[in-house]
Amino acid sequence: MADRVVLDPGHGGVDSGAVHGDRLEKNDNLNLALAVGEILTNYGVDVLYTRTEDVYSSPISRAQVANAENADLYIALHRNSSPLPNTYSGVETFIYDEEGIKPIAAELINGELEKIGFYNLGIDIRKDIPVLKRTNMPALYVNVGFINTDSDNALFDEQFENIAYGIATAILETLNRMNETVNNTHTYRVQVGLFRVLENAVNLQYELFLLGYEPLIVSQGELYAVQIGELPSLDQAVILEQELKRIGYNTLIVRDE
């Protein structure tokens, strides 16, 4: 059975969302959702939309649509806004809590958009957004730049296809991770280095030890890998990998068979 994703282009109809000049958030949201959905469909994902035209439906009804269809993932697409134009910039993703795949999916989407040029404002926990609260599946509310910031609008327009592909790529990666079997008996490590010279691997091992980690040196033929962790789930490995990336290491998740 194909993975099922609900794309929710925020606002619509009488609800224009944020406005900047003659630019309406509802239009940007719909155009982006349709573009992302087309890419996902081409990859075999069953895509549902809360709207495909300029119509309004309440946030509660949008969540009900997703619940009735037993979707695997819910992505609400929005643009941000601020009281004064050209004050803030960047992409930000809201989630209801940090349980399960939600923070990982948010990191993946923000990361893809950061590669394109958006400033990464990070993830925020929001308990007041109905589509996050009322959905039965993991749900994200993605703000793709500020609609009243000229640089974000230029990026949105000039890199539109890349933005759609970036979001779709993050969604596909999220689905892949969700499809990991629940009873997975594999363990995971984060690889931080691979060396031909053992001394170099030992030096990195000691450096990581001073930072509070417990790295191992694993022989791989004529090479020496420096790895951290013996983690029971991919989600835990991703969290450790992100932590190591933030402090400047190039990383790779490896799985023990």
Side-chain angles (χ1 to χ4, degrees):
M1 183 176 177
D3 294 310
R4 180 168 290 181
V5 173
V6 169
L7 296 179
D8 175 17
H11 310 289
V14 296
D15 177 11
S16 61
V19 178
H20 182 56
D22 59 356
R23 187 166 195 141
L24 306 181
E25 182 193 352
K26 65 177 182 177
N27 296 334
D28 284 357
N29 298 342
L30 180 57
N31 292 335
L32 184 57
L34 293 175
V36 172
E38 182 178 0
I39 297 166
L40 293 176
T41 299
N42 290 338
Y43 278 89
V45 177
D46 184 8
V47 178
L48 304 168
Y49 302 89
T50 59
R51 67 181 180 99
T52 57
E53 298 176 340
D54 186 18
V55 296
Y56 174 78
S57 61
S58 71
I60 297 298
S61 65
R62 294 169 191 249
Q64 289 172 340
V65 166
N67 293 340
E69 296 291 346
N70 295 315
D72 300 298
L73 191 64
Y74 184 103
I75 306 293
L77 295 173
H78 286 258
R79 303 290 311 280
N80 217 329
S81 187
S82 58
L84 295 175
N86 297 305
T87 304
Y88 299 103
S89 177
V91 58
E92 183 178 30
T93 298
F94 299 150
I95 54 178
Y96 186 74
D97 56 39
E98 294 184 318
E99 293 181 3
I101 196 71
K102 293 188 288 292
I104 295 171
E107 289 276 6
L108 288 169
I109 290 177
N110 285 1
E112 288 295 329
L113 295 179
E114 185 178 14
K115 291 177 188 176
I116 294 166
F118 284 104
Y119 182 72
N120 189 346
L121 294 170
I123 304 168
D124 195 12
I125 305 297
R126 292 287 297 269
K127 301 288 188 180
D128 59 329
I129 299 177
V131 296
L132 299 182
K133 184 177 182 179
R134 302 290 184 179
T135 43
N136 294 336
M137 71 292 302
L140 285 75
Y141 185 111
V142 185
N143 284 305
V144 186
F146 282 74
I147 199 169
N148 61 345
T149 294
D150 294 338
S151 59
D152 276 6
N153 284 337
L155 194 59
F156 189 93
D157 295 336
E158 294 166 9
Q159 298 292 327
F160 182 81
E161 291 186 5
N162 289 332
I163 291 168
Y165 271 99
I167 294 173
T169 297
I171 291 172
L172 291 168
E173 178 62 21
T174 299
L175 293 171
N176 287 338
R177 297 186 184 196
M178 292 172 67
N179 288 331
E180 288 281 319
T181 55
V182 175
N183 296 319
N184 191 355
T185 58
H186 299 297
T187 57
Y188 298 87
R189 295 175 182 168
V190 178
Q191 185 166 300
V192 189
L194 186 64
F195 302 95
R196 292 188 178 277
V197 179
L198 177 59
E199 182 181 357
N200 293 336
V202 171
N203 289 339
L204 179 57
Q205 181 187 38
Y206 182 66
E207 176 183 307
L208 290 164
F209 176 77
L210 292 178
L211 292 174
Y213 298 101
E214 296 182 5
L216 302 172
I217 295 178
V218 180
S219 178
Q220 295 183 354
E222 297 181 354
L223 302 175
Y224 302 95
V226 180
Q227 299 175 354
I228 301 174
E230 196 74 33
L231 303 165
S233 75
L234 179 58
D235 287 354
Q236 290 174 309
V238 169
I239 292 171
L240 176 59
E241 181 190 36
Q242 292 170 344
E243 176 183 309
L244 288 162
K245 281 183 175 179
R246 280 194 294 269
I247 58 178
Y249 290 99
N250 294 320
T251 61
L252 172 69
I253 294 177
V254 295
R255 185 179 75 178
D256 289 338
E257 300 296 337

